Amino acid sequence: MDIRVTSPEIQDQMNKLFSSILLEQQKYMQVRKPDADKAHLVESALKEYTANRGKGFFYNYMSSGRGHGPFTEQIDGSIKYDLIGGIGPNILGHSHPLYIKAHLESACSDTVMCGNLQPYPEAAAITEMLMKNVSNSRLKHFWFTGSGSFANDLALKLIWQKKEPKYRLIACTKAFAGRSVATQDITHNEAYRQGMPQSVQVDHVPHFDQTDPENALEKTITALKEVVKANPNQHCALMMEIIQGEGGFIYGPKEYYEGVFNWAKENDLYIWIDEVQTFGRTRELFAFQNMGLDQYVDVVTVGKALQVCGALFTEELNPKPGLIAGTFNGSLTALNAGEKIIRYLTEGNFYGENGRIAELEHTFLSKLNHLSKNSCKGKINYSGGIGTMIAFEVGDASKDITIEFIKKLFENGIIAFMAGNQPTRVRLLLPLSLTDEHINEIFKIIEQTVLEVVK
Ligand SMILES: Cc1ncc(COP(=O)(O)O)c(C=O)c1O
């Protein structure tokens, strides 16, 4: 264990503790209903929490902090498959040895948070790992932020400073960029900014049209031309999620992005890619690498699975002093875990056409396809996605039936979430700790739930 204190006694205790925690957490490895005497605990804990924060929760879910692999336990003793991982952060699942190690190593440190004025080797190491893994691109720097939304705010500031006074932005319909004052305008869904004054001028153009792939590029380019014509010489950048998460994992082929990005470059726009949700989850560490778009990207934002957030950017976009700062880079545990995650993913057998991520994608999509052609014919009418980001539609893909489905799925032992509107999709962000045995059980639960809900 790579701990700060030098005492062999502490080293020895830490090693023992590591093994004991691993063994203890392995007790949580199968779907289980709540314990009868604890069944009320989640509801009462959430009632108080809801009263204090002023808003309720989507699921009756309160983690006990115990779980293993894809399994998570609640304070009522119930255990479920976690196929959404807090909408992204838990890419390795629960109680992964690497997470436990990061916690224990950091437990021997002198503070909790690492920041800009007092850096620690953990921050330098994760930055170095990130830069090492984008060496085929023009990205040269990485700056930490406190959230994915703030990583996007930072990206926007870098671009604005360079392009002053061209402050207008182009983003995509169905985009989700976060909840900050700036990113709520980039996010396409108007319901997320009710009553807000507009702070960023954003023109939304269609992303890849899955229903009309042949004409998708032309549709996007036509829309791009229209918005530029309507506001000539005012745009600074094109902001895109290559795989739209909240949209229901919508993406196009490499040629589509090349066409769009070539047009953007010809029109003097920076290319800003939001990988807050996609980082780590395709056949490469970054989705832009998966699509072979290394040469195009000017700014890339990351978060979630990395455990810390921030923006990678080119030398050209390195800002003037004073523009960017912030107290926190992240906790020492998060920074340590993030660096370990990059190492684990890139040095393990996860990426490439024959990696575990491609295998998970293939297995999930072929099993969904099988259900849609057999027992769930007419009840699962779409399945798609890429890497560990899988989506499918149930029934008429309305929001109501999708919510009913995922709530029933939760009751039956799987935590998933939804994405998109018209159609609304069931969204899974798979943990890498899934085995084939888990997947077989997961599909039995999905099939049973579809048959229960979709008549
Ligand atoms: C694509 C994308 N960008 C940005 C964000 C915002 O990240 P955060 O919630 O950490 O602020 C999210 C969060 O879901 C996201 O999916």
Side-chain angles (χ1 to χ4, degrees), residues 28 30-42 64 66 73-80:
Y28 307 94
Q30 60 186 18
V31 173
R32 222 174 59 194
K33 295 274 180 211
D35 297 332
D37 59 332
K38 294 190 197 157
H40 61 287
L41 287 183
V42 174
S64 69
R66 291 183 286 258
E73 192 207 46
Q74 295 210 71
I75 55 173
D76 62 5
S78 65
I79 300 179
K80 297 180 194 303

mmCIF file with all atom_site columns, all heavy atoms in Angstrom, residues 28 30-42 64 66 73-80:
data_model
loop_
_atom_site.group_PDB
_atom_site.id
_atom_site.type_symbol
_atom_site.label_atom_id
_atom_site.label_alt_id
_atom_site.label_comp_id
_atom_site.label_asym_id
_atom_site.label_entity_id
_atom_site.label_seq_id
_atom_site.pdbx_PDB_ins_code
_atom_site.Cartn_x
_atom_site.Cartn_y
_atom_site.Cartn_z
_atom_site.occupancy
_atom_site.B_iso_or_equiv
_atom_site.pdbx_formal_charge
_atom_site.auth_seq_id
_atom_site.auth_comp_id
_atom_site.auth_asym_id
_atom_site.auth_atom_id
_atom_site.pdbx_PDB_model_num
ATOM 1   N N   . TYR A 1 28 ? -22.051 -8.920  0.385  1.00 0.00 ? 28 TYR A N   1
ATOM 2   C CA  . TYR A 1 28 ? -23.187 -8.266  -0.278 1.00 0.00 ? 28 TYR A CA  1
ATOM 3   C C   . TYR A 1 28 ? -23.179 -8.579  -1.764 1.00 0.00 ? 28 TYR A C   1
ATOM 4   O O   . TYR A 1 28 ? -22.813 -7.767  -2.588 1.00 0.00 ? 28 TYR A O   1
ATOM 5   C CB  . TYR A 1 28 ? -23.126 -6.758  0.017  1.00 0.00 ? 28 TYR A CB  1
ATOM 6   C CG  . TYR A 1 28 ? -23.033 -6.528  1.496  1.00 0.00 ? 28 TYR A CG  1
ATOM 7   C CD1 . TYR A 1 28 ? -21.788 -6.364  2.109  1.00 0.00 ? 28 TYR A CD1 1
ATOM 8   C CD2 . TYR A 1 28 ? -24.167 -6.577  2.294  1.00 0.00 ? 28 TYR A CD2 1
ATOM 9   C CE1 . TYR A 1 28 ? -21.694 -6.229  3.493  1.00 0.00 ? 28 TYR A CE1 1
ATOM 10  C CE2 . TYR A 1 28 ? -24.078 -6.448  3.669  1.00 0.00 ? 28 TYR A CE2 1
ATOM 11  C CZ  . TYR A 1 28 ? -22.835 -6.278  4.260  1.00 0.00 ? 28 TYR A CZ  1
ATOM 12  O OH  . TYR A 1 28 ? -22.750 -6.167  5.618  1.00 0.00 ? 28 TYR A OH  1
ATOM 13  N N   . GLN A 1 30 ? -25.735 -10.672 -3.577 1.00 0.00 ? 30 GLN A N   1
ATOM 14  C CA  . GLN A 1 30 ? -26.909 -11.205 -4.279 1.00 0.00 ? 30 GLN A CA  1
ATOM 15  C C   . GLN A 1 30 ? -28.146 -10.386 -3.967 1.00 0.00 ? 30 GLN A C   1
ATOM 16  O O   . GLN A 1 30 ? -28.248 -9.774  -2.904 1.00 0.00 ? 30 GLN A O   1
ATOM 17  C CB  . GLN A 1 30 ? -27.144 -12.673 -3.940 1.00 0.00 ? 30 GLN A CB  1
ATOM 18  C CG  . GLN A 1 30 ? -27.377 -12.945 -2.485 1.00 0.00 ? 30 GLN A CG  1
ATOM 19  C CD  . GLN A 1 30 ? -27.459 -14.430 -2.219 1.00 0.00 ? 30 GLN A CD  1
ATOM 20  O OE1 . GLN A 1 30 ? -27.030 -15.255 -3.027 1.00 0.00 ? 30 GLN A OE1 1
ATOM 21  N NE2 . GLN A 1 30 ? -28.024 -14.796 -1.080 1.00 0.00 ? 30 GLN A NE2 1
ATOM 22  N N   . VAL A 1 31 ? -29.056 -10.357 -4.926 1.00 0.00 ? 31 VAL A N   1
ATOM 23  C CA  . VAL A 1 31 ? -30.287 -9.575  -4.761 1.00 0.00 ? 31 VAL A CA  1
ATOM 24  C C   . VAL A 1 31 ? -31.051 -10.093 -3.547 1.00 0.00 ? 31 VAL A C   1
ATOM 25  O O   . VAL A 1 31 ? -31.184 -11.304 -3.355 1.00 0.00 ? 31 VAL A O   1
ATOM 26  C CB  . VAL A 1 31 ? -31.162 -9.682  -6.030 1.00 0.00 ? 31 VAL A CB  1
ATOM 27  C CG1 . VAL A 1 31 ? -32.523 -9.028  -5.818 1.00 0.00 ? 31 VAL A CG1 1
ATOM 28  C CG2 . VAL A 1 31 ? -30.447 -9.052  -7.220 1.00 0.00 ? 31 VAL A CG2 1
ATOM 29  N N   . ARG A 1 32 ? -31.505 -9.140  -2.727 1.00 0.00 ? 32 ARG A N   1
ATOM 30  C CA  . ARG A 1 32 ? -32.226 -9.526  -1.506 1.00 0.00 ? 32 ARG A CA  1
ATOM 31  C C   . ARG A 1 32 ? -33.326 -8.511  -1.204 1.00 0.00 ? 32 ARG A C   1
ATOM 32  O O   . ARG A 1 32 ? -33.160 -7.320  -1.460 1.00 0.00 ? 32 ARG A O   1
ATOM 33  C CB  . ARG A 1 32 ? -31.225 -9.530  -0.331 1.00 0.00 ? 32 ARG A CB  1
ATOM 34  C CG  . ARG A 1 32 ? -31.372 -10.704 0.604  1.00 0.00 ? 32 ARG A CG  1
ATOM 35  C CD  . ARG A 1 32 ? -30.279 -10.737 1.648  1.00 0.00 ? 32 ARG A CD  1
ATOM 36  N NE  . ARG A 1 32 ? -30.264 -9.524  2.457  1.00 0.00 ? 32 ARG A NE  1
ATOM 37  C CZ  . ARG A 1 32 ? -29.250 -9.191  3.252  1.00 0.00 ? 32 ARG A CZ  1
ATOM 38  N NH1 . ARG A 1 32 ? -28.175 -9.944  3.322  1.00 0.00 ? 32 ARG A NH1 1
ATOM 39  N NH2 . ARG A 1 32 ? -29.317 -8.107  3.989  1.00 0.00 ? 32 ARG A NH2 1
ATOM 40  N N   . LYS A 1 33 ? -34.419 -8.983  -0.669 1.00 0.00 ? 33 LYS A N   1
ATOM 41  C CA  . LYS A 1 33 ? -35.508 -8.091  -0.242 1.00 0.00 ? 33 LYS A CA  1
ATOM 42  C C   . LYS A 1 33 ? -35.109 -7.438  1.089  1.00 0.00 ? 33 LYS A C   1
ATOM 43  O O   . LYS A 1 33 ? -34.218 -7.941  1.775  1.00 0.00 ? 33 LYS A O   1
ATOM 44  C CB  . LYS A 1 33 ? -36.802 -8.909  -0.026 1.00 0.00 ? 33 LYS A CB  1
ATOM 45  C CG  . LYS A 1 33 ? -37.334 -9.526  -1.306 1.00 0.00 ? 33 LYS A CG  1
ATOM 46  C CD  . LYS A 1 33 ? -38.208 -8.538  -2.044 1.00 0.00 ? 33 LYS A CD  1
ATOM 47  C CE  . LYS A 1 33 ? -38.748 -9.122  -3.317 1.00 0.00 ? 33 LYS A CE  1
ATOM 48  N NZ  . LYS A 1 33 ? -38.958 -8.153  -4.373 1.00 0.00 ? 33 LYS A NZ  1
ATOM 49  N N   . PRO A 1 34 ? -35.822 -6.370  1.517  1.00 0.00 ? 34 PRO A N   1
ATOM 50  C CA  . PRO A 1 34 ? -35.492 -5.745  2.810  1.00 0.00 ? 34 PRO A CA  1
ATOM 51  C C   . PRO A 1 34 ? -35.696 -6.714  3.980  1.00 0.00 ? 34 PRO A C   1
ATOM 52  O O   . PRO A 1 34 ? -36.527 -7.617  3.888  1.00 0.00 ? 34 PRO A O   1
ATOM 53  C CB  . PRO A 1 34 ? -36.495 -4.589  2.929  1.00 0.00 ? 34 PRO A CB  1
ATOM 54  C CG  . PRO A 1 34 ? -37.099 -4.426  1.597  1.00 0.00 ? 34 PRO A CG  1
ATOM 55  C CD  . PRO A 1 34 ? -36.914 -5.684  0.825  1.00 0.00 ? 34 PRO A CD  1
ATOM 56  N N   . ASP A 1 35 ? -34.948 -6.506  5.062  1.00 0.00 ? 35 ASP A N   1
ATOM 57  C CA  . ASP A 1 35 ? -35.195 -7.277  6.282  1.00 0.00 ? 35 ASP A CA  1
ATOM 58  C C   . ASP A 1 35 ? -36.499 -6.763  6.903  1.00 0.00 ? 35 ASP A C   1
ATOM 59  O O   . ASP A 1 35 ? -36.707 -5.532  6.957  1.00 0.00 ? 35 ASP A O   1
ATOM 60  C CB  . ASP A 1 35 ? -34.059 -7.056  7.292  1.00 0.00 ? 35 ASP A CB  1
ATOM 61  C CG  . ASP A 1 35 ? -32.737 -7.565  6.738  1.00 0.00 ? 35 ASP A CG  1
ATOM 62  O OD1 . ASP A 1 35 ? -32.767 -8.499  5.904  1.00 0.00 ? 35 ASP A OD1 1
ATOM 63  O OD2 . ASP A 1 35 ? -31.687 -7.014  7.117  1.00 0.00 ? 35 ASP A OD2 1
ATOM 64  N N   . ALA A 1 36 ? -37.327 -7.699  7.385  1.00 0.00 ? 36 ALA A N   1
ATOM 65  C CA  . ALA A 1 36 ? -38.650 -7.299  7.887  1.00 0.00 ? 36 ALA A CA  1
ATOM 66  C C   . ALA A 1 36 ? -38.539 -6.217  8.973  1.00 0.00 ? 36 ALA A C   1
ATOM 67  O O   . ALA A 1 36 ? -39.285 -5.231  8.976  1.00 0.00 ? 36 ALA A O   1
ATOM 68  C CB  . ALA A 1 36 ? -39.376 -8.525  8.415  1.00 0.00 ? 36 ALA A CB  1
ATOM 69  N N   . ASP A 1 37 ? -37.580 -6.376  9.892  1.00 0.00 ? 37 ASP A N   1
ATOM 70  C CA  . ASP A 1 37 ? -37.494 -5.408  10.998 1.00 0.00 ? 37 ASP A CA  1
ATOM 71  C C   . ASP A 1 37 ? -36.872 -4.074  10.576 1.00 0.00 ? 37 ASP A C   1
ATOM 72  O O   . ASP A 1 37 ? -36.848 -3.126  11.347 1.00 0.00 ? 37 ASP A O   1
ATOM 73  C CB  . ASP A 1 37 ? -36.706 -6.026  12.165 1.00 0.00 ? 37 ASP A CB  1
ATOM 74  C CG  . ASP A 1 37 ? -35.299 -6.433  11.753 1.00 0.00 ? 37 ASP A CG  1
ATOM 75  O OD1 . ASP A 1 37 ? -35.087 -6.739  10.555 1.00 0.00 ? 37 ASP A OD1 1
ATOM 76  O OD2 . ASP A 1 37 ? -34.398 -6.407  12.612 1.00 0.00 ? 37 ASP A OD2 1
ATOM 77  N N   . LYS A 1 38 ? -36.338 -4.003  9.337  1.00 0.00 ? 38 LYS A N   1
ATOM 78  C CA  . LYS A 1 38 ? -35.702 -2.739  8.904  1.00 0.00 ? 38 LYS A CA  1
ATOM 79  C C   . LYS A 1 38 ? -36.465 -2.095  7.749  1.00 0.00 ? 38 LYS A C   1
ATOM 80  O O   . LYS A 1 38 ? -36.029 -1.074  7.210  1.00 0.00 ? 38 LYS A O   1
ATOM 81  C CB  . LYS A 1 38 ? -34.271 -3.040  8.436  1.00 0.00 ? 38 LYS A CB  1
ATOM 82  C CG  . LYS A 1 38 ? -33.323 -3.515  9.518  1.00 0.00 ? 38 LYS A CG  1
ATOM 83  C CD  . LYS A 1 38 ? -31.934 -3.500  8.888  1.00 0.00 ? 38 LYS A CD  1
ATOM 84  C CE  . LYS A 1 38 ? -30.931 -4.301  9.662  1.00 0.00 ? 38 LYS A CE  1
ATOM 85  N NZ  . LYS A 1 38 ? -29.816 -4.707  8.791  1.00 0.00 ? 38 LYS A NZ  1
ATOM 86  N N   . ALA A 1 39 ? -37.573 -2.727  7.345  1.00 0.00 ? 39 ALA A N   1
ATOM 87  C CA  . ALA A 1 39 ? -38.266 -2.319  6.111  1.00 0.00 ? 39 ALA A CA  1
ATOM 88  C C   . ALA A 1 39 ? -38.661 -0.845  6.099  1.00 0.00 ? 39 ALA A C   1
ATOM 89  O O   . ALA A 1 39 ? -38.718 -0.214  5.048  1.00 0.00 ? 39 ALA A O   1
ATOM 90  C CB  . ALA A 1 39 ? -39.485 -3.197  5.881  1.00 0.00 ? 39 ALA A CB  1
ATOM 91  N N   . HIS A 1 40 ? -38.887 -0.256  7.279  1.00 0.00 ? 40 HIS A N   1
ATOM 92  C CA  . HIS A 1 40 ? -39.352 1.143   7.352  1.00 0.00 ? 40 HIS A CA  1
ATOM 93  C C   . HIS A 1 40 ? -38.189 2.144   7.274  1.00 0.00 ? 40 HIS A C   1
ATOM 94  O O   . HIS A 1 40 ? -38.406 3.338   7.131  1.00 0.00 ? 40 HIS A O   1
ATOM 95  C CB  . HIS A 1 40 ? -40.094 1.335   8.682  1.00 0.00 ? 40 HIS A CB  1
ATOM 96  C CG  . HIS A 1 40 ? -39.195 1.085   9.866  1.00 0.00 ? 40 HIS A CG  1
ATOM 97  N ND1 . HIS A 1 40 ? -38.782 -0.179  10.240 1.00 0.00 ? 40 HIS A ND1 1
ATOM 98  C CD2 . HIS A 1 40 ? -38.581 1.949   10.707 1.00 0.00 ? 40 HIS A CD2 1
ATOM 99  C CE1 . HIS A 1 40 ? -37.980 -0.093  11.290 1.00 0.00 ? 40 HIS A CE1 1
ATOM 100 N NE2 . HIS A 1 40 ? -37.830 1.181   11.579 1.00 0.00 ? 40 HIS A NE2 1
ATOM 101 N N   . LEU A 1 41 ? -36.957 1.672   7.393  1.00 0.00 ? 41 LEU A N   1
ATOM 102 C CA  . LEU A 1 41 ? -35.828 2.593   7.610  1.00 0.00 ? 41 LEU A CA  1
ATOM 103 C C   . LEU A 1 41 ? -35.577 3.565   6.456  1.00 0.00 ? 41 LEU A C   1
ATOM 104 O O   . LEU A 1 41 ? -35.306 4.740   6.680  1.00 0.00 ? 41 LEU A O   1
ATOM 105 C CB  . LEU A 1 41 ? -34.539 1.795   7.883  1.00 0.00 ? 41 LEU A CB  1
ATOM 106 C CG  . LEU A 1 41 ? -34.455 1.119   9.247  1.00 0.00 ? 41 LEU A CG  1
ATOM 107 C CD1 . LEU A 1 41 ? -33.108 0.430   9.426  1.00 0.00 ? 41 LEU A CD1 1
ATOM 108 C CD2 . LEU A 1 41 ? -34.681 2.120   10.372 1.00 0.00 ? 41 LEU A CD2 1
ATOM 109 N N   . VAL A 1 42 ? -35.676 3.053   5.212  1.00 0.00 ? 42 VAL A N   1
ATOM 110 C CA  . VAL A 1 42 ? -35.372 3.925   4.069  1.00 0.00 ? 42 VAL A CA  1
ATOM 111 C C   . VAL A 1 42 ? -36.384 5.069   4.026  1.00 0.00 ? 42 VAL A C   1
ATOM 112 O O   . VAL A 1 42 ? -36.015 6.246   3.910  1.00 0.00 ? 42 VAL A O   1
ATOM 113 C CB  . VAL A 1 42 ? -35.392 3.131   2.744  1.00 0.00 ? 42 VAL A CB  1
ATOM 114 C CG1 . VAL A 1 42 ? -35.233 4.061   1.552  1.00 0.00 ? 42 VAL A CG1 1
ATOM 115 C CG2 . VAL A 1 42 ? -34.282 2.087   2.734  1.00 0.00 ? 42 VAL A CG2 1
ATOM 116 N N   . SER A 1 64 ? -26.442 1.853   2.359  1.00 0.00 ? 64 SER A N   1
ATOM 117 C CA  . SER A 1 64 ? -25.843 1.535   3.668  1.00 0.00 ? 64 SER A CA  1
ATOM 118 C C   . SER A 1 64 ? -24.331 1.729   3.612  1.00 0.00 ? 64 SER A C   1
ATOM 119 O O   . SER A 1 64 ? -23.647 1.607   4.619  1.00 0.00 ? 64 SER A O   1
ATOM 120 C CB  . SER A 1 64 ? -26.141 0.074   4.031  1.00 0.00 ? 64 SER A CB  1
ATOM 121 O OG  . SER A 1 64 ? -25.404 -0.778  3.157  1.00 0.00 ? 64 SER A OG  1
ATOM 122 N N   . ARG A 1 66 ? -22.563 -0.280  1.977  1.00 0.00 ? 66 ARG A N   1
ATOM 123 C CA  . ARG A 1 66 ? -22.034 -1.630  1.753  1.00 0.00 ? 66 ARG A CA  1
ATOM 124 C C   . ARG A 1 66 ? -22.497 -2.112  0.383  1.00 0.00 ? 66 ARG A C   1
ATOM 125 O O   . ARG A 1 66 ? -23.554 -1.718  -0.112 1.00 0.00 ? 66 ARG A O   1
ATOM 126 C CB  . ARG A 1 66 ? -22.533 -2.590  2.840  1.00 0.00 ? 66 ARG A CB  1
ATOM 127 C CG  . ARG A 1 66 ? -21.949 -2.301  4.205  1.00 0.00 ? 66 ARG A CG  1
ATOM 128 C CD  . ARG A 1 66 ? -22.403 -3.320  5.231  1.00 0.00 ? 66 ARG A CD  1
ATOM 129 N NE  . ARG A 1 66 ? -23.776 -3.102  5.613  1.00 0.00 ? 66 ARG A NE  1
ATOM 130 C CZ  . ARG A 1 66 ? -24.164 -2.510  6.737  1.00 0.00 ? 66 ARG A CZ  1
ATOM 131 N NH1 . ARG A 1 66 ? -23.268 -2.092  7.603  1.00 0.00 ? 66 ARG A NH1 1
ATOM 132 N NH2 . ARG A 1 66 ? -25.435 -2.353  7.016  1.00 0.00 ? 66 ARG A NH2 1
ATOM 133 N N   . GLU A 1 73 ? -26.165 -2.318  -1.200 1.00 0.00 ? 73 GLU A N   1
ATOM 134 C CA  . GLU A 1 73 ? -27.122 -2.590  -0.123 1.00 0.00 ? 73 GLU A CA  1
ATOM 135 C C   . GLU A 1 73 ? -27.737 -1.277  0.358  1.00 0.00 ? 73 GLU A C   1
ATOM 136 O O   . GLU A 1 73 ? -27.081 -0.234  0.369  1.00 0.00 ? 73 GLU A O   1
ATOM 137 C CB  . GLU A 1 73 ? -26.414 -3.282  1.047  1.00 0.00 ? 73 GLU A CB  1
ATOM 138 C CG  . GLU A 1 73 ? -27.386 -3.848  2.063  1.00 0.00 ? 73 GLU A CG  1
ATOM 139 C CD  . GLU A 1 73 ? -26.802 -3.944  3.468  1.00 0.00 ? 73 GLU A CD  1
ATOM 140 O OE1 . GLU A 1 73 ? -26.162 -2.968  3.928  1.00 0.00 ? 73 GLU A OE1 1
ATOM 141 O OE2 . GLU A 1 73 ? -26.996 -4.969  4.130  1.00 0.00 ? 73 GLU A OE2 1
ATOM 142 N N   . GLN A 1 74 ? -28.995 -1.354  0.775  1.00 0.00 ? 74 GLN A N   1
ATOM 143 C CA  . GLN A 1 74 ? -29.654 -0.191  1.376  1.00 0.00 ? 74 GLN A CA  1
ATOM 144 C C   . GLN A 1 74 ? -29.719 -0.365  2.889  1.00 0.00 ? 74 GLN A C   1
ATOM 145 O O   . GLN A 1 74 ? -29.535 -1.466  3.396  1.00 0.00 ? 74 GLN A O   1
ATOM 146 C CB  . GLN A 1 74 ? -31.080 -0.076  0.854  1.00 0.00 ? 74 GLN A CB  1
ATOM 147 C CG  . GLN A 1 74 ? -31.173 0.210   -0.606 1.00 0.00 ? 74 GLN A CG  1
ATOM 148 C CD  . GLN A 1 74 ? -32.439 1.015   -0.885 1.00 0.00 ? 74 GLN A CD  1
ATOM 149 O OE1 . GLN A 1 74 ? -32.531 2.175   -0.532 1.00 0.00 ? 74 GLN A OE1 1
ATOM 150 N NE2 . GLN A 1 74 ? -33.412 0.383   -1.500 1.00 0.00 ? 74 GLN A NE2 1
ATOM 151 N N   . ILE A 1 75 ? -30.079 0.720   3.570  1.00 0.00 ? 75 ILE A N   1
ATOM 152 C CA  . ILE A 1 75 ? -30.111 0.628   5.039  1.00 0.00 ? 75 ILE A CA  1
ATOM 153 C C   . ILE A 1 75 ? -31.214 -0.300  5.548  1.00 0.00 ? 75 ILE A C   1
ATOM 154 O O   . ILE A 1 75 ? -31.233 -0.650  6.711  1.00 0.00 ? 75 ILE A O   1
ATOM 155 C CB  . ILE A 1 75 ? -30.240 2.028   5.705  1.00 0.00 ? 75 ILE A CB  1
ATOM 156 C CG1 . ILE A 1 75 ? -31.450 2.791   5.174  1.00 0.00 ? 75 ILE A CG1 1
ATOM 157 C CG2 . ILE A 1 75 ? -28.971 2.846   5.504  1.00 0.00 ? 75 ILE A CG2 1
ATOM 158 C CD1 . ILE A 1 75 ? -31.717 4.096   5.925  1.00 0.00 ? 75 ILE A CD1 1
ATOM 159 N N   . ASP A 1 76 ? -32.112 -0.730  4.675  1.00 0.00 ? 76 ASP A N   1
ATOM 160 C CA  . ASP A 1 76 ? -33.139 -1.696  5.111  1.00 0.00 ? 76 ASP A CA  1
ATOM 161 C C   . ASP A 1 76 ? -32.693 -3.144  4.879  1.00 0.00 ? 76 ASP A C   1
ATOM 162 O O   . ASP A 1 76 ? -33.459 -4.076  5.059  1.00 0.00 ? 76 ASP A O   1
ATOM 163 C CB  . ASP A 1 76 ? -34.480 -1.433  4.397  1.00 0.00 ? 76 ASP A CB  1
ATOM 164 C CG  . ASP A 1 76 ? -34.369 -1.590  2.875  1.00 0.00 ? 76 ASP A CG  1
ATOM 165 O OD1 . ASP A 1 76 ? -33.288 -2.000  2.391  1.00 0.00 ? 76 ASP A OD1 1
ATOM 166 O OD2 . ASP A 1 76 ? -35.352 -1.302  2.182  1.00 0.00 ? 76 ASP A OD2 1
ATOM 167 N N   . GLY A 1 77 ? -31.441 -3.320  4.466  1.00 0.00 ? 77 GLY A N   1
ATOM 168 C CA  . GLY A 1 77 ? -30.904 -4.672  4.266  1.00 0.00 ? 77 GLY A CA  1
ATOM 169 C C   . GLY A 1 77 ? -31.150 -5.216  2.866  1.00 0.00 ? 77 GLY A C   1
ATOM 170 O O   . GLY A 1 77 ? -30.651 -6.288  2.510  1.00 0.00 ? 77 GLY A O   1
ATOM 171 N N   . SER A 1 78 ? -31.908 -4.500  2.027  1.00 0.00 ? 78 SER A N   1
ATOM 172 C CA  . SER A 1 78 ? -32.154 -5.005  0.664  1.00 0.00 ? 78 SER A CA  1
ATOM 173 C C   . SER A 1 78 ? -30.902 -4.803  -0.195 1.00 0.00 ? 78 SER A C   1
ATOM 174 O O   . SER A 1 78 ? -30.114 -3.873  0.034  1.00 0.00 ? 78 SER A O   1
ATOM 175 C CB  . SER A 1 78 ? -33.357 -4.301  0.030  1.00 0.00 ? 78 SER A CB  1
ATOM 176 O OG  . SER A 1 78 ? -33.068 -2.931  -0.151 1.00 0.00 ? 78 SER A OG  1
ATOM 177 N N   . ILE A 1 79 ? -30.729 -5.693  -1.179 1.00 0.00 ? 79 ILE A N   1
ATOM 178 C CA  . ILE A 1 79 ? -29.573 -5.601  -2.086 1.00 0.00 ? 79 ILE A CA  1
ATOM 179 C C   . ILE A 1 79 ? -30.089 -5.629  -3.516 1.00 0.00 ? 79 ILE A C   1
ATOM 180 O O   . ILE A 1 79 ? -30.966 -6.426  -3.864 1.00 0.00 ? 79 ILE A O   1
ATOM 181 C CB  . ILE A 1 79 ? -28.581 -6.760  -1.845 1.00 0.00 ? 79 ILE A CB  1
ATOM 182 C CG1 . ILE A 1 79 ? -28.053 -6.725  -0.405 1.00 0.00 ? 79 ILE A CG1 1
ATOM 183 C CG2 . ILE A 1 79 ? -27.416 -6.687  -2.835 1.00 0.00 ? 79 ILE A CG2 1
ATOM 184 C CD1 . ILE A 1 79 ? -27.087 -7.847  -0.049 1.00 0.00 ? 79 ILE A CD1 1
ATOM 185 N N   . LYS A 1 80 ? -29.529 -4.718  -4.340 1.00 0.00 ? 80 LYS A N   1
ATOM 186 C CA  . LYS A 1 80 ? -29.956 -4.638  -5.746 1.00 0.00 ? 80 LYS A CA  1
ATOM 187 C C   . LYS A 1 80 ? -28.741 -4.560  -6.659 1.00 0.00 ? 80 LYS A C   1
ATOM 188 O O   . LYS A 1 80 ? -27.652 -4.173  -6.223 1.00 0.00 ? 80 LYS A O   1
ATOM 189 C CB  . LYS A 1 80 ? -30.788 -3.371  -5.968 1.00 0.00 ? 80 LYS A CB  1
ATOM 190 C CG  . LYS A 1 80 ? -32.075 -3.331  -5.165 1.00 0.00 ? 80 LYS A CG  1
ATOM 191 C CD  . LYS A 1 80 ? -32.844 -2.043  -5.445 1.00 0.00 ? 80 LYS A CD  1
ATOM 192 C CE  . LYS A 1 80 ? -33.940 -1.805  -4.419 1.00 0.00 ? 80 LYS A CE  1
ATOM 193 N NZ  . LYS A 1 80 ? -34.918 -2.858  -4.292 1.00 0.00 ? 80 LYS A NZ  1
#
